[in-house]
Amino acid sequence: MKLDALPALARAFETGTISWTHARVLVDVATPENETAWIDCARELTVRALVRRIRARCAPVASAAAAPDDDDDDSTLDGEPAVRVRISCPRRVRALWRATVELARRMAGEPLPLWQACEAIAAEGLTSPAARRNASGGSRASAFAVGRFLSDGDDTGPEAGNEARAEVDPDGGDRRADAFRSVDWESITAAVPAPVAAFDDDLDAFDAFALDARMRATLAAMHRVHWQTGRLLRLVFDLRLYRWLGFRTAAQYVKERLGIGIRTAEMLVAVERVTWHAPQLAKAYERGAISPLRALIIAPVLSGAHEAAWLARAREVTVRRLSDEVTWALSHQDVQPLCEPVAPPQAGRLVMPSDAQMRARFADETPDVVISVPAPASVAALFATAIAAFTEVGEPRWRGFERLLENVRTEWNGRPRHRDPVFARDGWRCAIPTCSSRRSLHDHHIVFRSRGGDDARANRVAICAAHHQHGLHGGGYVRAWGDAPDGIHWELGIRPEASPLLTLIGDRYVSDN
């Protein structure tokens, strides 16, 4: 441990003179000769200022020692460039957003960070029939043949497929065409991968420029494979063909059979949907001239008037800059009288959100708050695409955002409920005040059944498996009595011949006095 070689720093940390974050930053730069000076410096400065002082005086601090609130900390998320999802909306829509985030966490069984809640909401919204109808109707009409549902409300699982096959004449007719009448088989044939050209050159003889050209050619081929994969995956997802293959969910199928993550699969399918109403993007994407991530980022701002300009901008700037410019365009589009599409800003222009006083009223309702969530670039693009799928022509973006949230809440609330009402009463999380776990909940009897406790709801509470098995029963370091849900007395950290570490009634601390 690094603190072993720095006794003064270790003593300062143990006595609370400096915080854990300060200590973590200093262990990489302090020495036994100068640790006292660094401790004095840390006592006077914030962590951010301390990191800047270290950068100014010493070698760059290793990334592992960077402070959580350092300026560079959110430059990446989950291995991708981090961008901000920003949307202006009325306060009532923000309340709906918070309720939907909470519902996403309950569905996931864990306290998801906001960007993962965004991903879950977008994925659910893009798979709904309402999103498909919006993508295929109105001004977004297209040859929406590949991957449509057979019809709204049809069951496309294995049972439906058996019925379709039973109706086909076994002695004649095209079984495949009869079973999937809505599929454009010519489009599928176009997506069948062609053999990739083999590279027989002596790569060791290449200079850096020749190797770079070869890598770019290979990358273009990979982008074309992305287009092919997205087109075929769309059919598999929309017709739920993974069920015919014995997989319960699409995530299981893409993981076990294709060896890719569900986020990658969802992104490829989302781009495939977008290309049906963006012909120039479709051509560029098909020939590998644009990556799926960049295509998904510019999808919400594409229009007939500015499609070529946004395609050109997508090839000119970084992913982070492109995301900022799309956010700027969507913000300005919202304040237009008819939400007219916006072209890319001038090259090099500092893009900032629109001022609040510039915003026009829509049906006596104006956006007065901003929801801002840092997220990986692919998640931000997926979320923007989901909002666009629920936004009608001429509407501000927050209308589509509201419609997306309502659709997702309706879908999730319609799922089969757990039969135990105690979990719902306790908010689908562990009731122990110091725990936030949502996984593996158990229905615990406050007065044990072995001691005569009954099944009344006042005697039952939701407890996570770890606290139930090891805290209340196995280890005995948690004690509870009283009436659920708010009248439970909790004693945490039970010690022999000593008072417990914490005593609470519900979520309120009990004073030691």
Side-chain angles (χ1 to χ4, degrees):
M1 188 177 180
K2 294 181 179 180
L3 283 176
D4 292 340
L6 302 168
L9 186 61
R11 187 165 53 254
F13 170 60
E14 292 172 357
T15 58
T17 305
I18 61 174
S19 68
W20 158 246
T21 309
H22 282 100
R24 188 176 59 174
V25 171
L26 290 178
V27 291
D28 286 330
V29 296
T31 63
E33 292 76 22
N34 64 13
E35 58 178 328
T36 302
W38 277 117
I39 293 171
D40 294 336
C41 184
R43 294 176 62 183
E44 299 175 357
L45 300 177
T46 65
V47 175
R48 181 177 298 182
L50 179 62
V51 170
R52 290 173 179 168
R53 180 73 60 84
I54 291 173
R55 287 176 175 171
R57 295 187 180 183
C58 307
V61 181
S63 59
D69 57 351
D70 184 59
D71 293 339
D72 295 334
D73 284 339
D74 61 352
S75 60
T76 60
L77 269 177
D78 204 31
E80 297 182 22
V83 298
R84 283 199 170 266
V85 176
R86 289 188 179 92
I87 183 166
S88 300
C89 61
R91 294 181 184 274
R92 64 174 183 83
V93 178
R94 183 173 65 177
L96 178 63
W97 156 253
R98 289 171 174 166
T100 309
V101 168
E102 169 62 19
L103 188 55
R105 289 167 173 165
R106 294 183 182 183
M107 294 295 294
E110 59 181 310
L112 298 175
L114 281 178
W115 69 266
Q116 289 186 355
C118 282
E119 182 178 17
I121 292 169
E124 183 63 46
L126 286 172
T127 58
S128 70
R132 296 187 186 92
R133 283 195 295 269
N134 287 342
S136 60
S139 63
R140 301 177 182 180
S142 62
F144 195 58
V146 177
R148 278 188 310 182
F149 270 134
L150 293 174
S151 63
D152 285 347
D154 280 355
D155 184 0
T156 54
E159 296 81 6
N162 292 333
E163 294 174 3
R165 286 192 294 270
E167 296 174 358
V168 179
D169 181 2
D171 297 326
D174 188 344
R175 293 173 179 268
R176 182 178 65 177
D178 287 339
F180 302 104
R181 294 183 178 88
S182 66
V183 176
D184 183 355
W185 292 101
E186 293 182 1
S187 299
I188 295 177
T189 302
V192 174
V196 179
F199 296 145
D200 298 327
D201 303 316
D202 183 8
L203 297 182
D204 293 336
F206 279 20
D207 59 18
F209 295 96
L211 189 59
D212 174 71
R214 178 55 54 83
M215 285 192 295
R216 291 176 64 84
T218 304
L219 188 62
M222 290 176 60
H223 289 167
R224 178 171 172 79
V225 171
H226 288 151
W227 165 74
Q228 296 167 326
T229 305
R231 174 160 292 190
L232 299 176
L233 267 178
R234 180 179 179 174
L235 177 67
V236 172
F237 281 16
D238 285 355
L239 296 182
R240 298 173 186 168
L241 298 182
Y242 51 84
R243 294 186 179 179
W244 291 52
L245 301 174
F247 294 92
R248 186 173 60 87
T249 65
Q252 291 177 346
Y253 170 74
V254 298
K255 178 181 179 180
E256 297 295 335
R257 293 291 291 171
L258 306 183
I260 61 177
I262 187 61
R263 184 191 301 171
T264 300
E266 289 171 344
M267 179 177 67
L268 296 178
V269 173
V271 176
E272 165 63 16
R273 297 188 194 284
V274 170
T275 58
W276 285 103
H277 60 84
Q280 297 183 56
L281 174 65
K283 293 179 181 178
Y285 184 48
E286 180 178 348
R287 68 173 184 269
I290 185 172
S291 70
L293 176 57
R294 292 176 185 271
L296 196 61
I297 289 174
I298 65 174
V301 293
L302 292 180
S303 64
H306 305 301
E307 184 177 356
W310 279 109
L311 275 172
R313 183 57 56 86
R315 302 188 188 101
E316 295 171 355
V317 298
T318 63
V319 168
R320 184 176 303 169
R321 174 69 186 189
L322 184 63
S323 298
D324 290 341
E325 292 188 353
V326 168
T327 300
W328 171 87
L330 290 172
S331 180
H332 279 265
Q333 179 177 319
D334 283 349
V335 304
Q336 300 294 329
L338 297 177
C339 294
E340 295 94 344
V342 178
Q346 296 178 357
R349 176 180 176 181
L350 180 63
V351 290
M352 298 293 291
S354 298
D355 295 332
Q357 63 268 25
M358 294 173 57
R359 300 193 177 278
R361 290 185 177 273
F362 298 91
D364 297 327
E365 197 168 22
T366 183
D368 50 6
V369 296
V370 177
I371 295 173
S372 179
V373 180
S378 62
V379 174
L382 192 72
F383 196 65
T385 302
I387 294 174
F390 284 85
T391 306
E392 301 292 342
V393 176
E395 283 187 332
R397 194 162 57 115
W398 66 263
R399 294 283 192 189
F401 177 55
E402 180 183 23
R403 215 172 273 125
L404 167 66
L405 297 180
E406 290 174 344
N407 181 274
V408 170
R409 284 178 57 80
T410 300
E411 175 64 27
W412 282 344
N413 283 325
R415 302 281 175 86
R417 298 279 181 169
H418 194 284
R419 62 178 178 83
D420 194 333
V422 172
F423 294 168
R425 183 201 65 191
D426 294 340
W428 298 96
R429 64 182 179 185
C430 182
I432 290 182
T434 57
C435 183
S436 60
S437 175
R438 296 174 181 265
R439 289 186 178 272
S440 303
L441 296 180
H442 291 184
D443 189 338
H444 170 67
H445 288 71
I446 301 171
V447 178
F448 299 168
R449 283 179 291 186
S450 60
R451 300 177 184 174
D454 57 23
D455 289 333
R457 294 187 186 179
N459 191 48
R460 294 157 58 195
V461 66
I463 303 292
C464 69
H467 277 123
H468 191 214
Q469 296 171 353
H470 304 295
L472 286 158
H473 290 289
Y477 56 84
V478 177
R479 184 183 300 137
W481 71 92
D483 294 332
D486 299 323
I488 304 178
H489 292 246
W490 298 100
E491 290 185 349
L492 309 180
I494 301 299
R495 298 173 294 177
E497 300 180 359
S499 61
L501 294 178
L502 290 175
T503 303
L504 305 96
I505 301 177
D507 288 319
R508 303 185 309 276
Y509 290 103
V510 175
S511 173
D512 294 332
N513 297 330

Short mmCIF file of all heavy atoms in Angstrom, two decimals, residues 181-233:
data_model
loop_
_atom_site.label_atom_id
_atom_site.label_comp_id
_atom_site.label_asym_id
_atom_site.label_seq_id
_atom_site.Cartn_x
_atom_site.Cartn_y
_atom_site.Cartn_z
N ARG A 181 -45.37 -12.65 -45.21
CA ARG A 181 -45.85 -11.91 -46.37
C ARG A 181 -45.37 -10.47 -46.37
O ARG A 181 -45.34 -9.83 -47.42
CB ARG A 181 -47.38 -11.94 -46.40
CG ARG A 181 -47.95 -13.33 -46.62
CD ARG A 181 -49.47 -13.28 -46.71
NE ARG A 181 -50.04 -14.60 -46.98
CZ ARG A 181 -50.35 -15.47 -46.05
NH1 ARG A 181 -50.15 -15.17 -44.79
NH2 ARG A 181 -50.86 -16.65 -46.36
N SER A 182 -45.02 -9.92 -45.19
CA SER A 182 -44.64 -8.50 -45.12
C SER A 182 -43.16 -8.27 -45.41
O SER A 182 -42.71 -7.13 -45.41
CB SER A 182 -44.96 -7.96 -43.73
OG SER A 182 -44.16 -8.59 -42.76
N VAL A 183 -42.39 -9.32 -45.63
CA VAL A 183 -40.95 -9.18 -45.78
C VAL A 183 -40.59 -8.95 -47.24
O VAL A 183 -41.05 -9.66 -48.12
CB VAL A 183 -40.22 -10.43 -45.23
CG1 VAL A 183 -38.74 -10.34 -45.48
CG2 VAL A 183 -40.51 -10.58 -43.75
N ASP A 184 -39.77 -7.94 -47.47
CA ASP A 184 -39.22 -7.68 -48.80
C ASP A 184 -37.94 -8.50 -48.95
O ASP A 184 -36.87 -8.10 -48.50
CB ASP A 184 -38.92 -6.19 -48.96
CG ASP A 184 -38.41 -5.84 -50.34
OD1 ASP A 184 -38.20 -6.78 -51.14
OD2 ASP A 184 -38.23 -4.65 -50.63
N TRP A 185 -38.06 -9.65 -49.61
CA TRP A 185 -36.92 -10.57 -49.68
C TRP A 185 -35.80 -10.03 -50.56
O TRP A 185 -34.64 -10.41 -50.37
CB TRP A 185 -37.38 -11.94 -50.18
CG TRP A 185 -38.25 -12.61 -49.17
CD1 TRP A 185 -39.61 -12.70 -49.18
CD2 TRP A 185 -37.82 -13.25 -47.96
NE1 TRP A 185 -40.07 -13.35 -48.06
CE2 TRP A 185 -38.99 -13.71 -47.30
CE3 TRP A 185 -36.59 -13.48 -47.38
CZ2 TRP A 185 -38.94 -14.39 -46.09
CZ3 TRP A 185 -36.54 -14.16 -46.17
CH2 TRP A 185 -37.70 -14.60 -45.55
N GLU A 186 -36.09 -9.15 -51.49
CA GLU A 186 -35.02 -8.56 -52.29
C GLU A 186 -34.11 -7.68 -51.43
O GLU A 186 -32.89 -7.67 -51.62
CB GLU A 186 -35.61 -7.74 -53.43
CG GLU A 186 -36.35 -8.57 -54.48
CD GLU A 186 -36.87 -7.71 -55.62
OE1 GLU A 186 -36.64 -6.48 -55.57
OE2 GLU A 186 -37.49 -8.27 -56.54
N SER A 187 -34.71 -6.96 -50.48
CA SER A 187 -33.90 -6.14 -49.58
C SER A 187 -33.01 -7.00 -48.70
O SER A 187 -31.87 -6.65 -48.40
CB SER A 187 -34.81 -5.27 -48.71
OG SER A 187 -35.57 -4.39 -49.50
N ILE A 188 -33.53 -8.14 -48.30
CA ILE A 188 -32.73 -9.04 -47.47
C ILE A 188 -31.58 -9.63 -48.29
O ILE A 188 -30.45 -9.75 -47.82
CB ILE A 188 -33.61 -10.15 -46.89
CG1 ILE A 188 -34.64 -9.55 -45.93
CG2 ILE A 188 -32.77 -11.20 -46.18
CD1 ILE A 188 -35.59 -10.55 -45.37
N THR A 189 -31.88 -9.99 -49.52
CA THR A 189 -30.82 -10.54 -50.38
C THR A 189 -29.69 -9.53 -50.55
O THR A 189 -28.51 -9.90 -50.57
CB THR A 189 -31.40 -10.93 -51.75
OG1 THR A 189 -32.45 -11.89 -51.54
CG2 THR A 189 -30.33 -11.53 -52.64
N ALA A 190 -30.05 -8.24 -50.66
CA ALA A 190 -29.02 -7.21 -50.81
C ALA A 190 -28.11 -7.12 -49.59
O ALA A 190 -26.97 -6.67 -49.69
CB ALA A 190 -29.67 -5.86 -51.06
N ALA A 191 -28.62 -7.55 -48.44
CA ALA A 191 -27.83 -7.46 -47.20
C ALA A 191 -27.00 -8.70 -46.94
O ALA A 191 -26.30 -8.75 -45.93
CB ALA A 191 -28.76 -7.22 -46.01
N VAL A 192 -27.07 -9.70 -47.78
CA VAL A 192 -26.26 -10.90 -47.58
C VAL A 192 -24.80 -10.52 -47.75
O VAL A 192 -24.41 -9.95 -48.77
CB VAL A 192 -26.65 -12.00 -48.58
CG1 VAL A 192 -25.70 -13.18 -48.45
CG2 VAL A 192 -28.09 -12.43 -48.33
N PRO A 193 -23.96 -10.78 -46.78
CA PRO A 193 -22.56 -10.32 -46.86
C PRO A 193 -21.83 -10.93 -48.04
O PRO A 193 -21.97 -12.11 -48.36
CB PRO A 193 -21.96 -10.80 -45.53
CG PRO A 193 -23.13 -11.01 -44.63
CD PRO A 193 -24.26 -11.44 -45.51
N ALA A 194 -21.05 -10.08 -48.71
CA ALA A 194 -20.17 -10.54 -49.78
C ALA A 194 -18.83 -10.93 -49.19
O ALA A 194 -18.45 -10.44 -48.11
CB ALA A 194 -19.99 -9.44 -50.82
N PRO A 195 -18.09 -11.82 -49.83
CA PRO A 195 -16.78 -12.20 -49.30
C PRO A 195 -15.87 -10.98 -49.17
O PRO A 195 -15.81 -10.13 -50.05
CB PRO A 195 -16.25 -13.19 -50.35
CG PRO A 195 -17.47 -13.69 -51.05
CD PRO A 195 -18.44 -12.55 -51.07
N VAL A 196 -15.20 -10.89 -48.05
CA VAL A 196 -14.26 -9.80 -47.83
C VAL A 196 -12.95 -10.11 -48.54
O VAL A 196 -12.42 -11.22 -48.44
CB VAL A 196 -14.02 -9.60 -46.32
CG1 VAL A 196 -13.03 -8.47 -46.07
CG2 VAL A 196 -15.34 -9.31 -45.62
N ALA A 197 -12.44 -9.10 -49.25
CA ALA A 197 -11.21 -9.31 -50.01
C ALA A 197 -10.05 -9.65 -49.07
O ALA A 197 -9.86 -9.02 -48.04
CB ALA A 197 -10.88 -8.06 -50.82
N ALA A 198 -9.29 -10.66 -49.46
CA ALA A 198 -8.14 -11.06 -48.64
C ALA A 198 -6.95 -10.15 -48.93
O ALA A 198 -6.74 -9.71 -50.05
CB ALA A 198 -7.77 -12.51 -48.94
N PHE A 199 -6.18 -9.86 -47.89
CA PHE A 199 -4.99 -9.02 -48.04
C PHE A 199 -3.77 -9.93 -48.04
O PHE A 199 -3.37 -10.47 -47.01
CB PHE A 199 -4.90 -8.02 -46.89
CG PHE A 199 -6.05 -7.03 -46.87
CD1 PHE A 199 -6.56 -6.57 -45.67
CD2 PHE A 199 -6.61 -6.57 -48.05
CE1 PHE A 199 -7.60 -5.67 -45.64
CE2 PHE A 199 -7.66 -5.67 -48.05
CZ PHE A 199 -8.15 -5.22 -46.84
N ASP A 200 -3.20 -10.10 -49.22
CA ASP A 200 -2.04 -10.98 -49.35
C ASP A 200 -0.74 -10.21 -49.36
O ASP A 200 0.33 -10.79 -49.58
CB ASP A 200 -2.16 -11.80 -50.65
CG ASP A 200 -3.39 -12.70 -50.64
OD1 ASP A 200 -3.74 -13.16 -49.54
OD2 ASP A 200 -3.97 -12.93 -51.72
N ASP A 201 -0.81 -8.89 -49.18
CA ASP A 201 0.41 -8.10 -49.23
C ASP A 201 1.29 -8.36 -48.02
O ASP A 201 0.83 -8.83 -46.98
CB ASP A 201 0.07 -6.60 -49.29
CG ASP A 201 -0.83 -6.28 -50.48
OD1 ASP A 201 -0.56 -6.80 -51.57
OD2 ASP A 201 -1.80 -5.52 -50.29
N ASP A 202 2.55 -8.05 -48.19
CA ASP A 202 3.51 -8.15 -47.10
C ASP A 202 3.37 -6.89 -46.24
O ASP A 202 3.91 -5.84 -46.56
CB ASP A 202 4.93 -8.29 -47.65
CG ASP A 202 5.95 -8.48 -46.53
OD1 ASP A 202 5.53 -8.66 -45.36
OD2 ASP A 202 7.15 -8.44 -46.83
N LEU A 203 2.63 -6.99 -45.14
CA LEU A 203 2.36 -5.81 -44.33
C LEU A 203 3.63 -5.27 -43.68
O LEU A 203 3.71 -4.09 -43.37
CB LEU A 203 1.32 -6.14 -43.25
CG LEU A 203 -0.07 -6.55 -43.77
CD1 LEU A 203 -1.00 -6.80 -42.58
CD2 LEU A 203 -0.64 -5.47 -44.67
N ASP A 204 4.63 -6.13 -43.48
CA ASP A 204 5.86 -5.66 -42.86
C ASP A 204 6.60 -4.66 -43.74
O ASP A 204 7.40 -3.86 -43.25
CB ASP A 204 6.78 -6.84 -42.56
CG ASP A 204 6.20 -7.74 -41.47
OD1 ASP A 204 5.39 -7.24 -40.67
OD2 ASP A 204 6.56 -8.93 -41.44
N ALA A 205 6.31 -4.73 -45.04
CA ALA A 205 6.98 -3.82 -45.97
C ALA A 205 6.26 -2.48 -46.10
O ALA A 205 6.76 -1.57 -46.77
CB ALA A 205 7.09 -4.48 -47.34
N PHE A 206 5.09 -2.34 -45.49
CA PHE A 206 4.32 -1.10 -45.60
C PHE A 206 4.95 0.00 -44.75
O PHE A 206 5.49 -0.26 -43.67
CB PHE A 206 2.88 -1.31 -45.11
CG PHE A 206 1.99 -1.94 -46.15
CD1 PHE A 206 2.51 -2.65 -47.23
CD2 PHE A 206 0.62 -1.84 -46.03
CE1 PHE A 206 1.69 -3.23 -48.16
CE2 PHE A 206 -0.23 -2.42 -46.95
CZ PHE A 206 0.31 -3.11 -48.03
N ASP A 207 4.88 1.24 -45.27
CA ASP A 207 5.21 2.36 -44.41
C ASP A 207 3.95 2.80 -43.67
O ASP A 207 2.87 2.22 -43.84
CB ASP A 207 5.82 3.52 -45.20
CG ASP A 207 4.88 4.04 -46.28
OD1 ASP A 207 3.67 3.75 -46.22
OD2 ASP A 207 5.36 4.72 -47.21
N ALA A 208 4.07 3.81 -42.83
CA ALA A 208 2.94 4.22 -42.00
C ALA A 208 1.76 4.68 -42.84
O ALA A 208 0.60 4.39 -42.52
CB ALA A 208 3.38 5.34 -41.04
N PHE A 209 2.02 5.38 -43.95
CA PHE A 209 0.92 5.91 -44.75
C PHE A 209 0.19 4.80 -45.49
O PHE A 209 -1.03 4.79 -45.60
CB PHE A 209 1.45 6.94 -45.74
CG PHE A 209 2.02 8.17 -45.08
CD1 PHE A 209 3.38 8.28 -44.83
CD2 PHE A 209 1.18 9.19 -44.66
CE1 PHE A 209 3.89 9.40 -44.21
CE2 PHE A 209 1.69 10.31 -44.04
CZ PHE A 209 3.06 10.42 -43.80
N ALA A 210 0.93 3.83 -46.00
CA ALA A 210 0.29 2.70 -46.69
C ALA A 210 -0.52 1.87 -45.71
O ALA A 210 -1.62 1.41 -46.03
CB ALA A 210 1.35 1.84 -47.38
N LEU A 211 0.01 1.69 -44.51
CA LEU A 211 -0.72 0.93 -43.50
C LEU A 211 -1.99 1.67 -43.08
O LEU A 211 -3.05 1.06 -42.88
CB LEU A 211 0.17 0.67 -42.29
CG LEU A 211 -0.38 -0.30 -41.24
CD1 LEU A 211 -0.65 -1.66 -41.84
CD2 LEU A 211 0.60 -0.41 -40.07
N ASP A 212 -1.90 2.99 -42.98
CA ASP A 212 -3.08 3.78 -42.64
C ASP A 212 -4.15 3.65 -43.73
O ASP A 212 -5.34 3.50 -43.42
CB ASP A 212 -2.70 5.25 -42.46
CG ASP A 212 -3.90 6.14 -42.24
OD1 ASP A 212 -4.49 6.07 -41.15
OD2 ASP A 212 -4.26 6.90 -43.16
N ALA A 213 -3.74 3.69 -44.98
CA ALA A 213 -4.72 3.54 -46.07
C ALA A 213 -5.38 2.17 -46.03
O ALA A 213 -6.58 2.04 -46.27
CB ALA A 213 -4.01 3.76 -47.42
N ARG A 214 -4.60 1.13 -45.73
CA ARG A 214 -5.17 -0.20 -45.64
C ARG A 214 -6.16 -0.30 -44.47
O ARG A 214 -7.22 -0.94 -44.59
CB ARG A 214 -4.05 -1.23 -45.50
CG ARG A 214 -4.52 -2.67 -45.36
CD ARG A 214 -5.44 -3.11 -46.50
NE ARG A 214 -4.86 -2.91 -47.78
CZ ARG A 214 -4.01 -3.76 -48.38
NH1 ARG A 214 -3.68 -4.86 -47.76
NH2 ARG A 214 -3.54 -3.49 -49.57
N MET A 215 -5.81 0.31 -43.32
CA MET A 215 -6.72 0.26 -42.18
C MET A 215 -8.02 1.00 -42.49
O MET A 215 -9.10 0.55 -42.09
CB MET A 215 -6.04 0.88 -40.95
CG MET A 215 -4.99 -0.03 -40.33
SD MET A 215 -4.42 0.52 -38.69
CE MET A 215 -3.64 2.06 -39.13
N ARG A 216 -7.94 2.11 -43.21
CA ARG A 216 -9.15 2.85 -43.54
C ARG A 216 -10.02 2.05 -44.50
O ARG A 216 -11.25 2.07 -44.41
CB ARG A 216 -8.79 4.21 -44.14
CG ARG A 216 -8.17 5.15 -43.12
CD ARG A 216 -7.74 6.46 -43.76
NE ARG A 216 -8.88 7.20 -44.28
CZ ARG A 216 -9.65 8.01 -43.55
NH1 ARG A 216 -9.40 8.16 -42.26
NH2 ARG A 216 -10.65 8.65 -44.09
N ALA A 217 -9.41 1.33 -45.42
CA ALA A 217 -10.19 0.48 -46.32
C ALA A 217 -10.87 -0.65 -45.54
O ALA A 217 -12.02 -1.00 -45.81
CB ALA A 217 -9.28 -0.08 -47.41
N THR A 218 -10.14 -1.21 -44.58
CA THR A 218 -10.73 -2.26 -43.76
C THR A 218 -11.88 -1.71 -42.93
O THR A 218 -12.92 -2.37 -42.77
CB THR A 218 -9.66 -2.85 -42.84
OG1 THR A 218 -8.56 -3.33 -43.63
CG2 THR A 218 -10.21 -4.01 -42.03
N LEU A 219 -11.72 -0.50 -42.41
CA LEU A 219 -12.78 0.11 -41.62
C LEU A 219 -14.02 0.36 -42.46
O LEU A 219 -15.15 0.16 -41.99
CB LEU A 219 -12.29 1.43 -41.02
CG LEU A 219 -13.21 2.10 -40.00
CD1 LEU A 219 -13.41 1.19 -38.79
CD2 LEU A 219 -12.63 3.44 -39.56
N ALA A 220 -13.85 0.79 -43.71
CA ALA A 220 -15.00 0.99 -44.59
C ALA A 220 -15.73 -0.33 -44.82
O ALA A 220 -16.97 -0.38 -44.87
CB ALA A 220 -14.55 1.59 -45.92
N ALA A 221 -14.96 -1.41 -44.95
CA ALA A 221 -15.60 -2.73 -45.11
C ALA A 221 -16.37 -3.11 -43.85
O ALA A 221 -17.47 -3.67 -43.92
CB ALA A 221 -14.54 -3.78 -45.42
N MET A 222 -15.83 -2.77 -42.68
CA MET A 222 -16.54 -3.05 -41.42
C MET A 222 -17.84 -2.25 -41.35
O MET A 222 -18.85 -2.76 -40.88
CB MET A 222 -15.64 -2.72 -40.24
CG MET A 222 -14.46 -3.66 -40.05
SD MET A 222 -13.39 -3.13 -38.70
CE MET A 222 -14.55 -3.18 -37.32
N HIS A 223 -17.80 -1.01 -41.80
CA HIS A 223 -19.02 -0.20 -41.79
C HIS A 223 -20.08 -0.80 -42.71
O HIS A 223 -21.28 -0.75 -42.40
CB HIS A 223 -18.71 1.23 -42.21
CG HIS A 223 -17.93 2.00 -41.19
ND1 HIS A 223 -17.31 3.20 -41.45
CD2 HIS A 223 -17.66 1.72 -39.88
CE1 HIS A 223 -16.71 3.63 -40.36
NE2 HIS A 223 -16.90 2.74 -39.40
N ARG A 224 -19.67 -1.35 -43.83
CA ARG A 224 -20.65 -2.00 -44.70
C ARG A 224 -21.22 -3.25 -44.02
O ARG A 224 -22.42 -3.55 -44.13
CB ARG A 224 -20.01 -2.38 -46.03
CG ARG A 224 -20.97 -3.12 -46.95
CD ARG A 224 -20.43 -3.30 -48.36
NE ARG A 224 -21.30 -4.18 -49.13
CZ ARG A 224 -22.43 -3.81 -49.71
NH1 ARG A 224 -22.84 -2.56 -49.59
NH2 ARG A 224 -23.16 -4.66 -50.39
N VAL A 225 -20.39 -3.96 -43.29
CA VAL A 225 -20.88 -5.11 -42.53
C VAL A 225 -21.89 -4.65 -41.48
O VAL A 225 -22.88 -5.34 -41.20
CB VAL A 225 -19.70 -5.87 -41.89
CG1 VAL A 225 -20.21 -6.93 -40.93
CG2 VAL A 225 -18.84 -6.51 -42.97
N HIS A 226 -21.67 -3.47 -40.90
CA HIS A 226 -22.62 -2.94 -39.93
C HIS A 226 -23.99 -2.73 -40.59
O HIS A 226 -25.03 -3.05 -39.98
CB HIS A 226 -22.12 -1.61 -39.36
CG HIS A 226 -20.98 -1.77 -38.42
ND1 HIS A 226 -20.01 -0.79 -38.24
CD2 HIS A 226 -20.61 -2.79 -37.59
CE1 HIS A 226 -19.13 -1.19 -37.35
NE2 HIS A 226 -19.47 -2.40 -36.95
N TRP A 227 -23.99 -2.19 -41.81
CA TRP A 227 -25.26 -2.00 -42.51
C TRP A 227 -25.94 -3.35 -42.77
O TRP A 227 -27.14 -3.49 -42.55
CB TRP A 227 -24.99 -1.29 -43.85
CG TRP A 227 -26.15 -1.36 -44.78
CD1 TRP A 227 -27.32 -0.66 -44.69
CD2 TRP A 227 -26.28 -2.20 -45.93
NE1 TRP A 227 -28.16 -1.00 -45.72
CE2 TRP A 227 -27.55 -1.94 -46.51
CE3 TRP A 227 -25.45 -3.12 -46.56
CZ2 TRP A 227 -27.99 -2.59 -47.65
CZ3 TRP A 227 -25.88 -3.76 -47.70
CH2 TRP A 227 -27.15 -3.50 -48.23
N GLN A 228 -25.17 -4.32 -43.20
CA GLN A 228 -25.74 -5.64 -43.46
C GLN A 228 -26.28 -6.26 -42.17
O GLN A 228 -27.39 -6.81 -42.15
CB GLN A 228 -24.67 -6.54 -44.08
CG GLN A 228 -24.20 -6.07 -45.45
CD GLN A 228 -22.94 -6.78 -45.90
OE1 GLN A 228 -22.09 -7.13 -45.09
NE2 GLN A 228 -22.82 -7.02 -47.20
N THR A 229 -25.51 -6.15 -41.10
CA THR A 229 -25.94 -6.74 -39.83
C THR A 229 -27.21 -6.07 -39.32
O THR A 229 -28.13 -6.74 -38.84
CB THR A 229 -24.81 -6.61 -38.79
OG1 THR A 229 -23.62 -7.20 -39.30
CG2 THR A 229 -25.19 -7.29 -37.49
N GLY A 230 -27.28 -4.74 -39.40
CA GLY A 230 -28.45 -4.03 -38.93
C GLY A 230 -29.70 -4.40 -39.69
O GLY A 230 -30.78 -4.56 -39.10
N ARG A 231 -29.58 -4.57 -41.00
CA ARG A 231 -30.76 -4.92 -41.80
C ARG A 231 -31.28 -6.31 -41.42
O ARG A 231 -32.49 -6.53 -41.28
CB ARG A 231 -30.42 -4.86 -43.29
CG ARG A 231 -31.54 -5.35 -44.18
CD ARG A 231 -31.42 -4.85 -45.59
NE ARG A 231 -31.62 -3.41 -45.67
CZ ARG A 231 -31.75 -2.74 -46.82
NH1 ARG A 231 -31.67 -3.40 -47.97
NH2 ARG A 231 -31.94 -1.45 -46.83
N LEU A 232 -30.39 -7.26 -41.26
CA LEU A 232 -30.83 -8.60 -40.90
C LEU A 232 -31.30 -8.67 -39.45
O LEU A 232 -32.27 -9.36 -39.13
CB LEU A 232 -29.68 -9.59 -41.13
CG LEU A 232 -29.18 -9.69 -42.58
CD1 LEU A 232 -27.98 -10.61 -42.67
CD2 LEU A 232 -30.29 -10.17 -43.50
N LEU A 233 -30.63 -7.94 -38.56
CA LEU A 233 -31.05 -7.94 -37.15
C LEU A 233 -32.43 -7.31 -36.99
O LEU A 233 -33.21 -7.73 -36.13
CB LEU A 233 -30.03 -7.16 -36.31
CG LEU A 233 -28.91 -7.96 -35.66
CD1 LEU A 233 -27.98 -7.03 -34.92
CD2 LEU A 233 -29.45 -9.02 -34.72
#
